[in-house]
């Protein structure tokens, strides 16, 4: 495996990606809006909780993302955790088109952030800090408000979208 000072080969990068893909993650759409710009959003699977006191979460954004500048400058953002029946939203917000909110049902949060309808959960956040993370920027957010519904989430594992079968392991 590549060391800290070496450049990872394309072959090793693909192997590492397959290994990391063994860890199942939820799928979310991160959204933002300010008074001067239209709403923006993108599909992510890099969301994670960090702390309960203070309430902090993180997600990471590729330095190659067309939306990097928008989210680096955002004072607020929302995390919308998708339900298993929202594959359409996952695909929609994976697009690079600019007007992503046409025909999408959403409501503004207390700080004006787009909260998508019928999601498993949503968290309204204030940007806390940005960190360098190799080829990504790590965005730490303070949770200001949150809500959830009793619905199964959309899951990403081993390169596939799936959902929980609602059965506890034996």
């Amino acid at each position: 495996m590549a060391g800290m000072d070496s450049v990872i080969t394309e072959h090793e990068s693909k192997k590492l990606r397959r290994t990391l893909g063994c860890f199942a993650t939820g799928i979310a759409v991160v959204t933002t809006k300010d008074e001067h710009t239209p709403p923006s959003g993108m599909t992510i699977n890099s969301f994670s909780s960090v702390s309960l006191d203070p309430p902090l979460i993180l997600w990471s954004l590729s330095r190659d993302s067309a939306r990097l500048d928008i989210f680096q400058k955002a004072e607020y953002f929302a995390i919308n955790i998708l339900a298993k029946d929202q594959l359409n939203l996952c695909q929609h917000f994976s697009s690079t088109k600019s007007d992503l909110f046409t025909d999408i049902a959403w409501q503004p949060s207390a700080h004006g952030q787009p909260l998508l309808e019928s999601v498993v959960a949503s968290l309204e956040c204030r940007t806390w800090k940005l960190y360098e993370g190799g080829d990504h920027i790590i965005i730490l957010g303070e949770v200001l408000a949150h809500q959830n519904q009793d619905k199964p989430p959309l899951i990403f594992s081993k390169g596939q979208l799936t959902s929980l079968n609602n059965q506890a392991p034996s």
Side-chain angles (χ1 to χ4, degrees):
M1 182 129 196
M4 292 297 287
D5 294 329
S6 65
V7 175
I8 191 167
T9 66
E10 184 177 344
H11 174 71
E12 187 60 33
S13 178
K14 287 179 182 178
K15 284 176 48 181
L16 178 58
R17 188 178 191 100
R18 279 193 302 275
T19 297
L20 294 172
C22 292
F23 184 71
T25 64
I27 300 292
V29 172
V30 62
T31 57
T32 192
K33 181 179 180 348
D34 67 27
E35 65 269 6
H36 307 295
T37 61
S40 187
M42 61 187 294
T43 300
I44 62 169
N45 73 331
S46 60
F47 169 77
S48 182
S49 63
V50 174
S51 171
L52 292 176
D53 187 16
L56 301 173
I57 57 90
L58 69 75
W59 64 284
S60 63
L61 177 60
S62 172
R63 291 179 180 278
D64 294 335
S65 172
R67 295 182 176 88
L68 179 65
D69 192 50
I70 293 168
F71 283 103
Q72 279 187 307
K73 292 178 180 176
E75 183 177 359
Y76 298 97
F77 62 88
I79 301 289
N80 299 273
I81 300 171
L82 300 184
K84 77 174 187 176
D85 62 351
Q86 292 181 311
L87 178 60
N88 60 328
L89 286 177
C90 172
Q91 293 168 334
H92 179 81
F93 282 97
S94 294
S95 167
T96 57
K97 68 181 189 174
S98 59
D99 188 12
L100 289 168
F101 285 82
T102 301
D103 300 324
I104 297 296
W106 67 278
Q107 298 296 321
S109 69
H111 290 94
Q113 301 313 295
L115 300 179
L116 303 178
E117 292 186 3
S118 302
V119 294
V120 172
S122 60
L123 300 100
E124 181 181 15
C125 302
R126 176 183 303 127
T127 300
W128 180 276
K129 287 193 180 180
L130 303 178
Y131 293 98
E132 302 288 322
D135 59 3
H136 280 63
I137 298 295
I138 301 164
I139 300 173
L140 198 63
E142 177 185 19
V143 178
L144 303 174
H146 59 91
Q147 58 190 359
N148 67 79
Q149 298 185 59
D150 188 21
K151 299 171 97 173
L154 186 61
I155 304 292
F156 185 73
S157 178
K158 294 189 175 184
Q160 301 291 317
L161 292 166
T162 187
S163 63
L164 298 173
N165 63 11
N166 292 332
Q167 294 182 7
S170 52

